[in-house]
Amino acid sequence: MVSAPCNRLAHRFNRQAKPVDFISAFRDKWHMSAPSQTAHGSQTPPAIAAVIVAAGSGSRMQEAVPKQFLALCGKPVLCHSVDAFASHAAVVEIIIVGPADDFVRVRRALGTERMGDNRLRIVAGGATRQQSVRAGLAALASSRARLVSIHDAARPLVSHAVIDRLATAISGGVMAALPVLAVTDTLKSTESGRISGTIDRSNVWAAQTPQMFDLATIARLHEENNGTQPVTDDISLAEDAGLRIASIEGDRRLMKLTHEDDLAMLVALAGDCPAKGDRAMAEMMDMRVGNGFDVHRFADGPGPIMLAGISLPSQHGMLAHSDGDVGLHALCDAIFGALGDGDIGFHFPPSDARWKNADSAQFLRYAVERCGQHNAELRNLDLTIICEAPKITPHRDAMRARIAEISGLPISRIGVKATTSEGLGFTGRGEGIAAQATASLLFRSGE
Ligand code: MG
């Protein structure tokens, strides 16, 4: 398939980017460090602000952790871009556009030292990249920066050389600059799903970020556009406004982290990588474990009883205010324990008439909902039932399936085991049933 964005970019370059811009831009490749007269009439490099867009949910990688927070070479992906800009002498402000509902995670990823940099601020992103960039630019309304570099956090390997080439390219009436790479694959066009031709790739370029702009100009263009015309990159707004745009030679290391395999490629491109392949870095992981225990006494009358979410025939019923399901009660307490959020008696007091004969499935459903409210994800449940009778093993998989149904976990993440107490104690004497449980939770927020 032909890459539509590349095709459109080529079209726009043909229409608006003058050949001289390409020539001057690529000349910069060979004279990177030579000072140039800037658009602002000074030999001093203009002050640069950076807007780093890190508001995505990372759904394409189907990760519990969005890609900007994954570990790459010993630090979160987002921090690579932040460090590249923060260590550049001309950068005076860094705006990180983070997920509106997950600032705590951004702060945690950045760590205390980066958060202490007074050039750095976090602002809330919008539903689209365009809205997020607009929010980032709005935060620079009173900035002293003359240029702004707009960058996607998913391209972690930014170099000072690229930042310098972009800043140098914005001069002599050029108001925007971007890195581009030649397209090396042969490009085909299709019509009705069939190959219809070969595209001349000499005029086709792959666009990267960071893209750099005169700050006042791009802020105005974003405000004027206000999402009325969707664009996939910021240069498109400059194209549509008929501005002169320079391209500089891009960098293969600016590869975008899109698919899971890309992490290994980025590690290779990074070169000197202190923690090659370390995706589950300790600072990214916040696993917590809780345990629960419950006992109910048998009643004099006959069963059935509720146990681990299913109804079982039993010589004796259970004495309890609710349905007396010790299995589900122990699981609830394991979750509440990992959350540091009270216990089942706190959330569902036996003194409350509402819970008389209550179906304990609703207690477990509630405990799982509490995980979401604490920004935690339930990862597995493990239950041990201790009794002489009824026999549990024939019902084990039905119990696992029911717990999976209530909790929303895959059945592979649910364990149900049973033991007797060898005739010892109250369970050994057949006076009641005990259950103990473990829950593990992955916390996203670092709270
Ligand atoms: Mg109980």
Side-chain angles (χ1 to χ4, degrees):
M1 285 290 291
V2 171
S3 163
C6 289
N7 209 9
R8 192 183 65 160
L9 188 69
H11 171 68
R12 287 185 166 163
F13 274 163
N14 289 340
R15 181 159 49 91
Q16 282 161 352
K18 309 292 183 291
V20 65
D21 295 335
F22 278 91
I23 294 163
S24 64
F26 280 102
R27 192 177 57 215
D28 293 334
K29 176 190 164 193
W30 296 292
H31 301 284
M32 265 165 31
S33 56
S36 75
Q37 193 79 12
T38 70
H40 316 291
S42 158
Q43 292 285 330
T44 321
I48 300 169
V51 171
I52 301 175
V53 184
S57 64
S59 54
R60 240 184 302 190
M61 290 188 61
Q62 297 184 323
E63 289 277 349
V65 178
K67 59 189 171 186
Q68 63 271 33
F69 301 117
L70 291 173
L72 172 69
C73 302
K75 59 185 177 185
V77 164
L78 165 66
C79 293
H80 287 264
S81 308
V82 171
D83 291 348
F85 284 104
S87 59
H88 192 285
V91 171
V92 294
E93 274 188 86
I94 300 170
I95 306 295
I96 295 163
V97 188
D101 56 354
D102 215 355
F103 272 27
V104 179
R105 181 180 257 188
V106 178
R107 279 196 284 268
R108 191 161 161 266
L110 291 170
T112 315
E113 198 176 322
R114 289 184 190 89
M115 287 303 298
D117 185 335
N118 59 17
R119 293 172 299 172
L120 192 147
R121 278 182 289 152
I122 307 169
V123 303
T128 64
R129 183 188 181 280
Q130 202 167 344
Q131 287 172 9
S132 294
V133 172
R134 194 161 162 248
L137 291 170
L140 292 170
S142 55
S143 175
R144 70 182 178 89
R146 305 296 295 268
L147 300 179
V148 63
S149 192
I150 302 175
H151 182 59
D152 295 324
R155 298 183 191 268
L157 304 180
V158 187
S159 68
H160 284 188
V162 165
I163 297 170
D164 289 339
R165 293 209 292 273
L166 288 166
T168 306
I170 299 187
S171 64
V174 173
M175 301 299 259
L178 82 162
V180 295
L181 281 182
V183 176
T184 51
D185 293 321
T186 297
L187 299 176
K188 300 292 183 188
S189 59
T190 57
E191 271 173 31
S192 309
R194 292 186 177 182
I195 297 293
S196 59
T198 300
I199 293 169
D200 174 10
R201 69 179 181 210
S202 61
N203 277 321
V204 176
W205 303 84
Q208 298 180 314
T209 76
Q211 300 179 346
M212 202 173 287
F213 302 86
D214 177 81
L215 171 57
T217 304
I218 192 66
R220 177 175 56 79
L221 292 178
H222 263 282
E223 278 307 310
E224 286 172 1
N225 180 275
N226 194 15
T228 48
Q229 183 206 335
V231 291
T232 54
D233 75 347
D234 307 287
I235 285 290
S236 305
L237 291 174
E239 292 165 38
D240 291 342
L243 300 183
R244 285 186 64 197
I245 300 161
S247 60
I248 65 149
E249 189 188 26
D251 186 341
R252 285 181 57 232
R253 289 177 304 164
L254 281 172
M255 184 188 131
K256 190 175 187 177
L257 171 56
T258 308
H259 303 288
E260 203 168 333
D261 294 351
D262 297 341
L263 269 173
M265 293 172 71
L266 282 164
V267 167
L269 288 168
D272 181 21
C273 197
K276 285 193 175 186
D278 180 11
R279 292 188 46 206
M281 187 172 71
E283 74 170 278
M284 307 292 292
M285 301 293 286
D286 187 3
M287 290 295 303
R288 301 183 201 177
V289 173
N291 76 80
F293 181 75
D294 196 32
V295 171
H296 280 278
R297 182 192 290 271
F298 281 127
D300 290 334
I305 60 169
M306 288 300 293
L307 191 56
I310 65 171
S311 175
L312 289 183
S314 169
Q315 192 181 349
H316 299 288
M318 303 300 311
L319 269 183
H321 183 66
S322 67
D323 65 5
D325 189 328
V326 286
L328 296 193
H329 295 181
L331 288 168
C332 289
D333 267 353
I335 294 171
F336 291 134
L339 292 172
D341 186 16
D343 59 22
I344 192 167
F346 171 78
H347 292 285
F348 303 100
S351 55
D352 190 329
R354 276 182 300 168
W355 315 126
K356 177 97 179 116
N357 300 322
D359 175 0
S360 295
Q362 67 187 295
F363 302 159
L364 182 55
R365 235 175 258 123
Y366 174 84
V368 174
E369 280 169 21
R370 294 293 282 185
C371 297
Q373 289 160 18
H374 284 259
N375 224 348
E377 186 187 335
L378 182 61
R379 301 310 296 260
N380 81 301
L381 290 171
D382 183 24
L383 175 66
T384 301
I385 299 167
I386 306 153
C387 61
E388 301 295 324
K391 292 284 175 224
I392 304 302
T393 308
H395 308 288
R396 183 206 311 275
D397 286 339
M399 289 173 168
R400 293 173 69 218
R402 177 62 180 145
I403 295 166
E405 186 182 12
I406 300 166
S407 66
L409 281 177
I411 195 167
S412 59
R413 289 176 181 262
I414 292 162
V416 172
K417 309 177 308 296
T419 185
T420 69
S421 55
E422 302 265 331
L424 299 171
F426 69 89
T427 51
R429 293 190 298 271
E431 294 169 3
I433 300 179
Q436 62 186 43
T438 305
S440 71
L441 275 65
L442 176 63
F443 281 70
R444 292 185 170 134
S445 65
E447 284 169 358

